[in-house]
Amino acid sequence: ETGVTQTPRHLVMGMTNKKSLKCEQHLGHNAMYWYKQSAKKPLELMFVYSLEERVENNSVPSRFSPECPNSSHLFLHLHTLQPEDSALYLCASSQGRQQGGPDTQYFGPGTRLTVL
Amino acid sequence: GQNIDQPTEMTATEGAIVQINCTYQTSGFNGLFWYQQHAGEAPTFLSYNVLDGLEEKGRFSSFLSRSKGYSYLLLKELQMKDSASYLCAVRYYNTNAGKSTFGDGTTLTVKP
């Protein structure tokens, strides 16, 4: 238990569906991240939020839409996905650079997404 | 850009020592992390190096040479539960939140 929770743990959706992934961190951190992990590929950074402001958008298709309403919650809204978007989606949080220290990222358990 | 290389697979025997290497080319380097990831689970933090040298944490040690762009993770007294993927990640900053580039991971299999 890392203090970062994600729901749902598993999600199967059709290409025309709209769904949302939720992440919550109980660590008092200021930065939150979305990563995508596909089979046989390294972790890919998708979005970074620092103090609820999006500071990074790594050329992610617009069918993925992040939302960070406060420093403890992060959402990833999904619509019109493609089968190649099937992957493990991981949320992480960290203290943020302004706090000093190593700024270690702590990961949630992930949502296993399958797009049919 | 950022580029990280680590071996794809390694096999070792229970009770032995194994060293997993990681080389990187990056700009704005601000630390190197090692994570362990069991199949179907989230990565968990193992170690962090920002200065050259060796950091030891129990059975795990990590070494960094910034001039050579090189790190290794050393696992001693291997146990079956150490079978997992080990991810090398380089941290760099261009905002108030850091970015991490991850290597492909090294899948370690520990055999009896």
Side-chain angles (χ1 to χ4, degrees):
Chain A
E1 180 62 42
T2 62
V4 182
T5 58
Q6 289 186 242
T7 55
R9 295 293 307 275
H10 300 272
L11 178 62
V12 179
M13 59 188 289
M15 293 169 60
T16 58
N17 291 158
K18 290 185 180 181
K19 296 286 184 182
S20 295
L21 310 185
K22 179 183 177 182
C23 175
E24 184 174 358
Q25 59 97 0
H26 310 275
L27 301 169
H29 287 167
N30 293 316
M32 297 187 77
Y33 311 77
W34 278 117
Y35 285 89
K36 176 184 179 182
Q37 189 174 38
S38 304
K40 308 293 185 184
K41 289 186 177 181
L43 276 166
E44 301 172 56
L45 180 65
M46 300 175 72
F47 301 103
V48 181
Y49 277 82
S50 176
L51 298 172
E52 299 140 49
E53 177 185 349
R54 190 191 309 181
V55 297
E56 192 71 35
N57 177 350
N58 253 14
S59 301
V60 179
S62 59
R63 58 186 183 269
F64 295 91
S65 175
E67 178 189 1
C68 188
N70 54 62
S71 60
S72 299
H73 294 86
L74 184 66
F75 295 89
L76 188 63
H77 303 299
L78 316 171
H79 65 95
T80 325
L81 293 192
Q82 305 298 312
E84 59 264 29
D85 297 323
S86 298
L88 180 67
Y89 289 84
L90 290 160
C91 173
S93 72
S94 71
Q95 286 184 320
R97 183 183 192 183
Q98 64 274 23
Q99 301 296 323
D103 198 23
T104 302
Q105 292 182 49
Y106 294 88
F107 287 84
T111 295
R112 175 68 63 185
L113 175 66
T114 301
V115 181
L116 302 177
Chain B
Q2 322 293 331
N3 192 31
I4 298 176
D5 290 306
Q6 51 182 131
T8 303
E9 295 179 332
M10 298 184 72
T11 302
T13 305
E14 192 175 14
I17 299 173
V18 70
Q19 176 174 314
I20 303 174
N21 296 324
C22 172
T23 58
Y24 64 90
Q25 297 92 40
T26 186
S27 57
F29 176 86
N30 204 266
L32 188 142
F33 293 80
W34 284 96
Y35 286 85
Q36 180 190 61
Q37 186 176 25
H38 285 99
E41 298 182 12
T44 55
F45 169 72
L46 286 179
S47 70
Y48 167 75
N49 295 71
V50 66
L51 301 176
D52 290 355
L54 189 68
E55 295 283 341
E56 297 187 76
K57 293 177 70 174
R59 295 190 298 114
F60 296 84
S61 303
S62 58
F63 171 83
L64 176 67
S65 169
R66 289 171 298 171
S67 62
K68 295 181 179 178
Y70 167 69
S71 173
Y72 67 72
L73 179 69
L74 193 71
L75 294 79
K76 305 175 186 175
E77 301 170 17
L78 280 174
Q79 302 175 10
M80 298 299 289
K81 67 178 183 179
D82 296 329
S83 293
S85 180
Y86 291 85
L87 309 175
C88 172
V90 172
R91 197 98 161 116
Y92 57 101
Y93 284 101
N94 58 3
T95 64
N96 280 331
K99 293 178 64 173
S100 289
T101 296
F102 284 79
D104 290 2
T106 298
T107 300
L108 173 66
T109 302
V110 180
K111 295 185 174 180

